[in-house]
Amino acid sequence: MTDFDGQGRRAYRPLGGWVEAPDDPQPELEGEAAADVIVVGAGFAGLSTALELAARGAKVIVLEREFAGFGASGRNAGYLAGGQGLEYDLFLKRVGQEQAKQIVRFYDEGVDYVERKLGEYGIDCDYNASGIIRAGVHPSQEKKLRESMRTGVELGSPGEFLDYAAMRARGIPPAFLFGCHVPTGGTLDPGKYVMGLRRAALRAGVPIHENTKVLSWTDGSTITVQTERGRARAPFLVLATNAYTPQLGLLRNKVMPLRVSALETEPLSAAQLASLGWPGREGIVTSHWTMESHRLTARNTLVLTTKRLRYVYGLQTPNVPDEAAYRELAKALHERFPMLGDLAIRSCWSGYISFAYDALPVVGEAGAERNILYTAGCSGHGLGTQSLMGLLLAERILGTEHQLLSALRHKTPSTLPEPLQWCVMNSALSVANMLDDRVNRKARDAALQ
Ligand SMILES: Cc1cc2nc3c(=O)[nH]c(=O)nc-3n(C[C@H](O)[C@H](O)[C@H](O)COP(=O)(O)OP(=O)(O)OC[C@H]3O[C@@H](n4cnc5c(N)ncnc54)[C@H](O)[C@@H]3O)c2cc1C
């Protein structure tokens, strides 16, 4: 990717574009520790669970392999989105209309939950409650988008169709021809959000042990967790390790990590911003088979994500650049925003989401005493949902099952053994890329006419 940013610098950032390693690293776990609950993983899910437990008087410790926010929570696109536009085709028939309504409600409640918590914890993360637009870049995408919007509305999540004139009236950049506007949610700086949760947890007296990799645990009414230099004991263990969970030996046949990549431009000048229009700065996602996401940040940069997903053989999650994905994102940048000319790229990064074949959350209990709780499989929608999951898991541990947790319980389809899974996933992703490339070619041709 040499010269990728047009200035002879490499733009790859291994920690993503939003966070740096904290300048107050929390001490590694050494020796023995005991608590009511041990939470493994300090992303949205782990930190929210710890905060909810601490608020209810439980003694909780968090063990994090790197630092809080190192995973997808510090690398995502920052869309706080609800239940409109989910991959309904993958789960509606399996779970039925009534459970699907409750699942969609879970996603929508995730938006309200985060909005509430930003106020409660005093987190300023540049939240823009603009709603989100799922847009088409070519007329051939309209039918699918309208159908999906209708399903979302039937399942209880709001959405309004915007035709070409309505998109132009909002000042949406012209590459996005029509769309479904979801009035709830918006965009935020996920780095500031996750670091705000970290600060709130520390303020609440929750010990977070960073640089503390969990190696194994014992089953039983008291669980002992082994780390490189210490051991912790508790009656409950929460694995909030999302895409990394299969590497811990759990959910290996239920979820798989998928690599998602992102690109951020240099800040736009006042003239470039004016050429864009886009006064509401709504987060835009496209209705491709593998979506593109396009948003402005508070620092006036553009962040693009996805377009290409990658599955790495054997459920691995190497923290490495994905240059082919960055090239595709750069192409999308120039195609969707030709008015910006050769805008320089400031950074590129990749992270991992966890994906189940039905694209639904995978939450439940394991162990002989059912006292090992896990949450994974939130696909690319974990900002709201994995935060809300903290409340559901905390209540469950303290003896109450929230309605929405019950709603998420279902049989997750099993994944395939290797090398079959690698072949199937990469074939499916290649077909999606081919179909999306065809739409993009048609959009390019139409723009030239
Ligand atoms: C590029 C990208 C864009 C995305 N965009 C969006 C978006 O716009 N909106 C949205 O809703 N979602 C988005 N997502 C998904 C979202 O970021 C995730 O669903 C969410 O952050 C998951 O949170 P989490 O806390 O479950 O997991 P993570 O944030 O991944 O946290 C898991 C933590 O576990 C730690 N860990 C792993 N193994 C161990 C171990 N052995 N011992 C101790 N600790 C361990 C990891 O270091 C990590 O910090 C995106 C994801 C990516 C990668």
Side-chain angles (χ1 to χ4, degrees), residues 41 43-45 64-65 72-73 76-79 214 242 378 380-383 386:
F44 300 143
E64 163 57 51
R65 188 176 63 175
S73 300
N76 62 76
Y79 287 61
V214 166
N242 202 36
C378 49
H381 303 282
L383 203 163
Q386 289 298 78

Side-chain angles (χ1 to χ4, degrees), residues 397-408:
I397 288 169
L398 298 174
T400 315
E401 171 130 340
H402 196 290
Q403 262 187 326
L404 292 175
L405 182 58
S406 310
L408 294 175

Side-chain angles (χ1 to χ4, degrees), residues 26-47:
Q26 297 299 301
E28 181 180 353
L29 178 70
E30 292 188 28
E32 304 281 331
D36 298 322
V37 185
I38 299 164
V39 174
V40 185
F44 300 143
L47 291 169

Side-chain angles (χ1 to χ4, degrees), residues 277-396:
W278 209 351
R281 295 182 168 223
E282 299 88 342
I284 295 178
V285 294
T286 65
S287 55
H288 290 87
W289 290 98
T290 306
M291 73 171 193
E292 298 168 11
S293 81
H294 302 267
R295 62 162 291 198
L296 281 162
T297 67
R299 50 194 183 225
N300 289 332
T301 60
L302 268 168
V303 168
L304 277 67
T305 72
T306 325
K307 189 168 181 191
R308 291 290 191 257
L309 295 170
R310 195 173 304 274
Y311 171 69
V312 182
Y313 186 90
L315 305 166
Q316 292 304 299
T317 54
N319 194 28
V320 294
D322 189 335
E323 304 195 7
Y326 307 148
R327 264 194 298 276
E328 286 298 325
L329 288 168
K331 206 154 113 193
L333 170 69
H334 297 302
E335 284 186 9
R336 307 293 172 238
F337 306 102
M339 68 292 269
L340 298 179
D342 210 8
L343 184 60
I345 287 155
R346 172 190 194 151
S347 53
C348 300
W349 66 90
S350 302
Y352 291 89
I353 59 170
S354 74
F355 179 75
Y357 278 155
D358 60 6
L360 287 179
V362 182
V363 54
E365 301 88 9
E369 306 284 332
R370 314 306 285 163
N371 54 352
I372 300 169
L373 286 79
Y374 53 80
T375 171
C378 49
S379 307
H381 303 282
L383 203 163
T385 55
Q386 289 298 78
S387 303
L388 173 59
M389 201 63 91
L391 172 67
L392 308 191
L393 293 182
E395 287 188 354
R396 164 69 184 72

